[in-house]
Amino acid sequence: MLCEECNKNQATVSITVTSGEDMNTRHLCPECMKKMELSLAHGDIQSFLSSILAVLSASKTEKHQPTCTGCGLTYSAFEQNGRLGCAQCYMDFSEQLKPLLQRIHGRTQHAGRVPASFANNPQKQIQKQCDELRQKMDEAVASENFEDAAKYRDELRALSEHEEANLP
Amino acid sequence: MSQSVNDVVVSGRVRLARNYFDLPFWGMSNEENAQLCISRATESQLTNPTEDTYTLYTLRDMTKVDRQALMEQHLISRDLLKHSEVGAALISKDQMISIMINEEDHLRIQSIVSGFDLGLAASEAFKAEEKLEGICTFSFDPQLGYLTSCPTNTGTGLRASLMMHLPMLTRFKQMGNVNQSVAKLGLTTRGIYGEGSEALGDLYQISNQVTLGRTEDEIIEAVTAVGKQLIDAEHALRSRCLSDQSAELKDTIFRSYGLLRYAVQMDEKEFMQHWSNLRLGVSCGLLDTSLELVDQLLTTAQAAHVKQYVKENTPDLAVNQARCQIIQKYL
């Protein structure tokens, strides 16, 4: 795991801060840990605490701040100006956008024209669906959400079988 | 009084919002990508030299007045003017198709017809889209359809709108009810230059709000059906007013006609009010001018067009005086 402070070195130290019922753990590299220890060694407890708090608040913001992997737009930036940054935003913010689209349009399944490149190439469509399912499955496994992962695996299997059955 | 849809409908418009699949949307884009959007669109229209019927307008190479004049002709939108550093438009020679580049989406393909035929407008827009599709791939998702910068356009990316002249519904304070009923059907009413603009000259744009989960035909049918109802309601009020309040109606129309013919100076807001009465008078058969001419006047007496006229013909004349000269050439 990479250090959550510098995002460069391997994290070897874990710090857990407990505040009331909240417990936050941060993983740091020796270099970043040393910086914090130095402030403590110099009796600068204020500086040490603010480093810890800055790290923790950054972690909290990240947790509640979905960010597009395509263009880097945060969901809160989208909420402010109402404009998405790229096509990938639709995938990365799908959880938030689905209810929004439902509210705006009353439906969430496209019923209109399909570009010629898609219409003439059903395999491309299935391939795209497979890619998306595979990505969702990997994410579910990474977050130890095995129930969802199994659901995606079954969907993926069904789709692949369907594709094979329809091959010329 | 013979009534036709053109008495009420000034124009019909269909626009498609499209984005290139491999470039970030406008908000996260940069100069290089913006230029790429322009060159791709231009290339697609120039691949067949025999069909080279488009002219490229690059906004930053144009004066502010010339840009605004394109907006007054509804060939570009107010939003494109805001992006004038990178905005461009490919406009067909007959001015029926305009492809706005680097507006809110990479491409806004719009087709304008002079009457009520939104089906025709749509098929022309799709033809232009197919040409573009020949050389590039648009951002598309099988579930969500065409992906657009704003989720309000996701799906078909299609906005069908009718520019309607509704002086009687306005006069009898029915527009509040109209707005409410129209909203229930997933449609919306806007002013003369689209979202956020004023309904000057009793002109309203009726368009679909919903773009996802309906086919293009369903959207066009819905806008057309509401358009027909509004035409009937406006015609009914005109007939009633002509029989019950004939003197008042004629007085309003002829006073406006008199001012338009003989006034020496007139600002745009006052012009729009009299223009509305002029159009109503022509539609009701009270004035002997063609609707086509009246609709042309609507564009040529707008601020930027008047400024262009002043620059070319009468550099010392004030804009409000020049407007009257233009009007009087028409009447």
Side-chain angles (χ1 to χ4, degrees):
Chain A
M1 178 186 273
L2 284 180
C3 169
E4 291 175 9
E5 173 72 355
C6 65
N7 270 325
K8 284 178 194 159
N9 307 326
Q10 202 65 26
T12 54
V13 190
S14 298
I15 305 176
T16 301
V17 177
T18 310
S19 160
E21 287 181 359
D22 282 348
M23 196 164 75
N24 292 297
T25 301
R26 299 290 288 161
H27 307 281
L28 304 172
C29 66
E31 215 171 297
C32 290
M33 188 64 215
K34 191 141 200 163
K35 279 184 202 160
M36 291 189 192
E37 281 173 350
L38 270 176
S39 12
L40 190 63
H42 287 101
D44 189 359
I45 189 78
Q46 199 64 39
S47 171
F48 176 74
L49 284 176
S50 57
S51 318
I52 290 273
L53 287 173
V55 167
L56 289 174
S57 73
S59 122
K60 263 195 170 166
T61 325
E62 273 163 28
K63 267 182 204 164
H64 298 284
Q65 185 79 288
T67 303
C68 174
T69 53
C71 65
L73 183 84
T74 60
Y75 190 73
S76 67
F78 161 67
E79 282 180 311
Q80 274 168 25
N81 67 27
R83 302 290 181 271
L84 293 158
C86 68
Q88 185 63 33
C89 290
Y90 278 92
M91 312 305 150
D92 292 346
F93 303 148
S94 63
E95 205 181 301
Q96 293 83 1
L97 285 178
K98 210 170 174 185
L100 180 71
L101 288 165
Q102 178 72 37
R103 265 205 310 280
I104 300 171
H105 302 285
R107 296 177 194 179
T108 56
Q109 177 60 54
H110 177 58
R113 281 162 68 94
V114 171
S117 52
F118 263 81
N120 300 336
N121 194 347
Q123 260 179 298
K124 195 172 170 182
Q125 291 182 47
I126 293 176
Q127 192 55 50
K128 188 170 164 35
Q129 280 172 285
C130 285
D131 289 346
E132 280 166 17
L133 281 171
R134 213 166 279 128
Q135 192 188 339
K136 282 181 183 171
M137 187 174 73
D138 291 345
E139 282 167 8
V141 169
S143 59
E144 299 183 2
N145 191 349
F146 299 114
E147 206 173 310
D148 278 355
K151 193 181 83 186
Y152 294 134
R153 181 204 57 207
D154 294 344
E155 282 179 33
L156 193 58
R157 197 174 286 159
L159 207 57
S160 304
E161 280 167 10
H162 174 80
E163 193 186 2
E164 272 171 33
N166 285 308
L167 276 178
Chain B
M1 187 179 84
S2 70
Q3 294 178 327
S4 79
V5 293
N6 288 348
D7 293 347
V8 179
V9 179
V10 178
S11 61
R13 187 177 69 104
V14 165
R15 76 108 171 96
L16 307 169
R18 298 289 185 261
N19 289 282
Y20 297 115
F21 87 105
D22 56 341
L23 299 178
F25 298 154
W26 155 254
M28 300 300 274
S29 192
N30 56 26
E31 169 76 24
E32 195 187 330
N33 287 338
Q35 291 310 320
L36 203 54
C37 288
I38 298 176
S39 60
R40 283 181 183 178
T42 313
E43 197 186 326
S44 76
Q45 298 305 330
L46 299 178
T47 42
N48 185 349
T50 55
E51 286 182 37
D52 178 16
T53 53
Y54 284 83
T55 306
L56 177 71
Y57 293 82
T58 310
L59 263 52
R60 69 174 160 206
D61 297 339
M62 297 168 71
T63 65
K64 205 175 164 188
V65 170
D66 289 347
R67 288 178 214 155
Q68 204 185 331
L70 285 182
M71 188 199 79
E72 289 172 356
Q73 289 171 273
H74 297 275
L75 291 168
I76 64 170
S77 65
R78 287 206 305 190
D79 278 352
L80 193 71
L81 284 187
K82 288 182 201 158
H83 300 177
S84 53
E85 267 311 296
V86 289
L90 274 166
I91 299 173
S92 67
K93 283 206 176 111
D94 59 7
Q95 302 202 326
M96 191 176 178
I97 300 282
S98 156
I99 302 166
M100 285 183 273
I101 311 164
N102 294 324
E103 210 242 29
E104 187 182 289
D105 293 294
H106 295 151
L107 301 171
R108 288 278 176 104
I109 306 158
Q110 69 162 11
S111 163
I112 309 165
V113 291
S114 57
F116 194 45
D117 196 347
L118 287 174
L120 172 68
S123 71
E124 290 300 317
F126 291 138
K127 273 187 214 163
E129 183 203 20
E130 278 159 19
K131 271 190 181 179
L132 289 156
E133 252 197 322
I135 64 148
C136 61
T137 307
F138 293 135
S139 216
F140 179 85
D141 177 83
Q143 194 197 334
L144 298 176
Y146 289 94
L147 304 178
T148 53
S149 167
C150 182
T152 53
N153 295 312
T154 310
T156 56
L158 183 145
R159 186 89 58 216
S161 62
L162 290 171
M163 175 85 81
M164 305 189 83
H165 181 226
L166 305 171
M168 285 294 135
L169 284 165
T170 310
R171 186 177 166 139
F172 289 100
K173 306 208 182 307
Q174 293 300 305
M175 285 315 293
N177 294 338
V178 168
N179 292 343
Q180 280 180 10
S181 323
V182 158
K184 279 181 196 158
L185 297 165
L187 309 187
T188 184
T189 46
R190 296 184 168 116
I192 175 169
Y193 293 119
E195 206 167 340
S197 64
E198 264 184 279
L200 292 171
D202 304 320
L203 285 168
Y204 300 86
Q205 283 192 52
I206 314 295
S207 59
N208 61 302
Q209 190 88 290
V210 169
T211 53
L212 178 62
R214 269 84 167 164
T215 64
E216 288 79 1
D217 287 345
E218 284 170 341
I219 293 170
I220 286 165
E221 274 166 28
V223 177
T224 305
V226 169
K228 276 182 184 157
Q229 283 184 16
L230 289 175
I231 292 168
D232 290 345
E234 175 68 24
H235 276 156
L237 282 175
R238 286 182 190 185
S239 301
R240 206 175 83 190
C241 209
L242 265 178
S243 62
D244 298 353
Q245 301 171 24
S246 175
E248 289 90 336
L249 183 65
K250 284 179 182 165
D251 185 62
T252 308
I253 290 168
F254 291 136
R255 273 172 190 272
S256 285
Y257 183 66
L259 277 166
L260 288 170
R261 281 203 66 173
Y262 298 108
V264 175
Q265 52 184 11
M266 191 177 283
D267 67 23
E268 196 173 273
K269 208 162 185 174
E270 188 188 356
F271 162 72
M272 289 303 284
Q273 182 198 331
H274 297 310
W275 176 87
S276 176
N277 292 332
L278 173 73
R279 196 178 200 279
L280 180 63
V282 174
S283 299
C284 295
L286 296 170
L287 293 170
D288 190 21
T289 307
S290 78
L291 274 179
E292 202 185 343
L293 219 59
V294 173
D295 290 348
Q296 275 177 25
L297 180 61
L298 173 68
T299 308
T300 50
Q302 299 288 323
H305 277 80
V306 178
K307 282 178 194 163
Q308 283 181 327
Y309 172 87
V310 168
K311 196 178 161 195
E312 285 163 20
N313 303 294
T314 54
D316 299 326
L317 201 62
V319 168
N320 288 346
Q321 289 178 22
R323 177 173 291 111
C324 288
Q325 274 196 5
I326 295 170
I327 296 167
Q328 283 145 28
K329 280 186 183 173
Y330 275 81
L331 300 177

